[in-house]
Amino acid sequence: MWLSFGLRYKRAPRSISPRNTVGNSPMFRATVLLSLAALALGLSSGDLTVSVNVVQASVNSVDDIVISAIVSNPTDSDIRVIAKNNILDNSPTKSFTVTKDGDDILFTGLRVSFDLTSDSVYTTIPAGSSIAVNHTDLGALYEFEASGTGTFSFAANNVFQTGPDAAPLIVEVPAVDIEITSDVQKRLLFPPSLSHPQCSDAGRLQIIRDSLTVARALAGGAATDIRSHPNSAEFNTYFGGNSRDDIWYRMDIIAGDLASSGTRVIGCTDPAGICGGGVIAYARIVSSNGQIIGSDIFTCGIFFTAAQPTPSICTGGFDSTLSSRGGIILHELSHATANTGDLGYGCSVAAGLSTANKRNNADNYRCMALAIYKRYRC
């Protein structure tokens, strides 16, 4: 049985010019620029434009896929946006939704929780300028093998936010097609390890254990509330329009903390080498023939040094990811058990997503569970 492990960096962007003339413009920026520019309160239609181009429309192998994205700021003010889990991010997160013949191709890369107060999570697009990012090594991030050769459609993750609760701007971007004619074999994000230590630091190991206990209790409380209060404000806010049985089932799986196969590790190592730069935790998904069969979760230093015990939400809010360690683990468990994505950060944004995106967004599970906790436990 071929197993795929959803983790590994994409290679650094290659020096390949996209098929347009933007790269020759003096307004073009070839690398992502970080800035301490003031954070805008929100984005309006027309503030950003996005173009996505393929270097080759037909390739022999998944190794040959190169997609170039250019994000432009036509306004006269600098714009700072979250540059993670969208088209600006060329780390192994979900920059595209990939389909073949209308069917989704399973994403097997990283699901990452970020500290959105960290400057390193943001990118500033200068006024009248552009940022270009090349996306490569996609063979390690999507389960092409299960669908065989043929033409795949790549739709950019085109949601931009200036902060965790800022209204998202969705930029319309046409999908691009790439035909893969021969080699669709799954690439490994990094080789599997034979040993899975939980954590060599006894203090941190206890924090992980406590946080897992809280995460399961939070999800269990939310599942119970769906049954006992099916029309609750919390459900309608974060999952309105969705099947109550479906969301209950997902919360119940998280509460059971059951791996699809084998034993899930929740540890403090960093096998992907991405801790730092605002990363709090991430999930590695293991798939076979298009199905999730296992998963692991890894916590970074900020999880232990900055994230708060869950009771702290009784005197504060829970919009911030760092407001609850249990909430962080619940968020990651939703990735690991239900294959949720990161479609928006912050509870206000989560509440404003479409019905389908509410079901598929990890923060909706975190926010509903913490809202139930605050209502009954504070």
Side-chain angles (χ1 to χ4, degrees):
M1 178 183 295
W2 182 265
L3 298 182
S4 64
F5 290 77
L7 278 178
R8 182 177 135 196
Y9 277 121
K10 301 174 189 173
R11 289 192 294 268
R14 304 169 185 169
S15 298
I16 300 175
S17 298
R19 290 182 174 175
N20 56 40
T21 59
V22 178
N24 297 322
S25 166
M27 295 165 57
F28 176 80
R29 296 292 186 272
T31 57
V32 175
L33 303 176
L34 296 178
S35 169
L36 297 179
L39 177 65
L41 294 178
L43 296 171
S44 301
S45 177
D47 284 352
L48 295 176
T49 62
V50 179
S51 65
V52 177
N53 298 275
V54 301
V55 172
Q56 291 180 279
S58 180
V59 297
N60 178 67
S61 167
V62 292
D63 293 334
D64 301 325
I65 298 173
V66 182
I67 302 176
S68 179
I70 298 174
V71 181
S72 301
N73 171 11
T75 74
D76 57 5
S77 300
D78 293 352
I79 295 177
R80 192 179 80 150
V81 295
I82 296 171
K84 303 297 182 182
N85 289 317
N86 60 26
I87 196 64
L88 286 169
D89 189 356
N90 66 351
S91 70
T93 59
K94 191 175 183 180
S95 297
F96 301 93
T97 295
V98 182
T99 59
K100 182 186 179 192
D101 299 327
D103 295 326
D104 285 343
I105 303 302
L106 181 68
F107 174 70
T108 57
L110 298 185
R111 282 82 166 171
V112 183
S113 294
F114 292 98
D115 171 16
L116 297 182
T117 65
S118 171
D119 285 336
S120 60
V121 172
Y122 297 83
T123 286
T124 295
I125 308 172
S129 297
S130 301
I131 289 174
V133 180
N134 282 339
H135 294 270
T136 61
D137 283 350
L138 299 184
L141 303 185
Y142 296 90
E143 186 63 79
F144 296 104
E145 185 177 33
S147 296
T149 59
T151 299
F152 295 82
S153 181
F154 295 77
N157 185 342
N158 56 348
V159 179
F160 298 91
Q161 289 178 250
T162 57
D165 277 312
L169 172 65
I170 300 176
V171 181
E172 295 300 324
V173 187
V176 295
D177 292 339
I178 298 178
E179 180 188 24
I180 306 173
T181 60
S182 180
D183 175 19
V184 292
Q185 187 177 43
K186 180 64 181 174
R187 274 40 173 180
L188 298 183
L189 212 44
F190 60 77
S193 172
L194 295 178
S195 61
H196 296 279
Q198 298 290 318
C199 190
S200 59
D201 183 302
R204 291 190 169 191
L205 178 59
Q206 189 59 50
I207 290 175
I208 292 172
R209 288 172 173 164
D210 292 344
S211 300
L212 175 59
T213 298
V214 172
R216 295 178 66 180
L218 288 170
T224 298
D225 196 71
I226 291 171
R227 289 293 192 233
S228 59
H229 301 94
N231 293 311
S232 72
E234 291 82 5
F235 181 89
N236 289 329
T237 296
Y238 297 110
F239 292 105
N242 281 280
S243 163
R244 286 167 176 77
D245 287 342
D246 181 36
I247 303 304
W248 171 86
Y249 176 75
R250 288 174 163 224
M251 287 290 194
D252 192 58
I253 288 178
I254 296 170
D257 184 34
L258 301 175
S260 301
S261 176
T263 301
R264 176 183 298 112
V265 169
I266 303 179
C268 63
T269 58
D270 180 22
I274 65 169
C275 285
V279 177
I280 304 169
Y282 59 91
R284 175 178 66 180
I285 307 301
V286 185
S287 67
S288 176
N289 295 322
Q291 300 296 317
I292 293 178
I293 62 168
S295 56
D296 296 311
I297 294 170
F298 302 96
T299 53
C300 300
I302 195 172
F303 176 81
F304 304 99
T305 60
Q308 300 299 307
T310 299
S312 68
I313 73 169
C314 290
T315 55
F318 49 85
D319 276 1
S320 168
T321 308
L322 292 171
S323 64
S324 164
R325 289 194 189 111
I328 293 167
I329 297 299
L330 190 157
H331 177 115
E332 296 303 324
L333 284 172
S334 79
H335 290 320
T337 59
N339 198 29
T340 59
D342 291 302
L343 307 177
Y345 294 105
C347 296
S348 296
V349 169
L353 294 174
S354 68
T355 298
N357 284 345
K358 285 179 177 180
R359 177 182 183 271
N360 294 322
N361 187 50
D363 236 20
N364 285 66
Y365 295 82
R366 178 185 73 88
C367 292
M368 180 185 173
L370 290 175
I372 295 293
Y373 178 96
K374 187 161 187 174
R375 180 176 179 182
Y376 292 106
R377 298 289 299 275
C378 295

